[in-house]
Amino acid sequence: MSVEAIFKALGDPVRLEIITRLSDGSSYTIGKLSEDLGVSRQGARKQIQTLASADIIQLHPAGRETRVSLNTESLQQARLFISQLEQQWDQRLLALKQLSED
């Protein structure tokens, strides 16, 4: 999945809360994950599907339920992108500092 799709999927407070809940490394049923999100179960399912489409989470059928877990590899792509931006800004700031000291 593209980095753009990952960041787009993360651009919603409900989806961020879902990611936060999954960040402990556990998998949850959709029902458990949907509790106290401030949206209906149908709304939560839509948010979960958006995250799954961006490959940020994985859905695992387990009998009559579906378990949800975090796909850390996708988040690693986003982390790498941010790290590259940080390096670029660090280089630019260093060049500006050197220019101002000359």
Side-chain angles (χ1 to χ4, degrees):
M1 187 56 57
S2 70
V3 174
E4 295 86 6
I6 293 168
F7 281 110
K8 184 176 180 181
L10 293 175
D12 180 89
V14 172
R15 293 191 291 262
L16 286 176
E17 177 59 29
I18 291 169
I19 296 302
T20 300
R21 292 178 184 191
L22 292 169
S23 67
D24 68 359
S26 299
S27 67
Y28 295 91
T29 63
I30 290 178
K32 184 69 175 169
L33 196 56
S34 302
E35 290 178 1
D36 301 322
L37 281 177
V39 295
S40 66
R41 184 177 169 102
Q42 182 73 10
R45 185 173 279 283
K46 183 178 177 183
Q47 301 294 1
I48 289 168
Q49 188 56 50
T50 299
L51 291 169
S53 294
D55 202 29
I56 297 171
I57 61 171
Q58 296 171 328
L59 304 176
H60 311 279
R64 292 179 35 203
E65 297 187 339
T66 300
R67 297 198 66 82
V68 182
S69 63
L70 195 59
N71 181 1
T72 56
E73 291 177 18
S74 289
L75 292 178
Q76 190 64 18
Q77 289 177 348
R79 173 183 265 170
L80 179 61
F81 176 80
I82 290 172
S83 178
Q84 290 169 345
L85 288 178
E86 287 177 334
Q87 289 175 356
Q88 289 176 3
W89 277 104
D90 287 346
Q91 291 169 356
R92 290 176 183 164
L93 289 172
L94 181 60
L96 180 62
K97 179 181 177 189
Q98 290 172 345
L99 183 65
S100 67
E101 290 175 349
D102 290 340

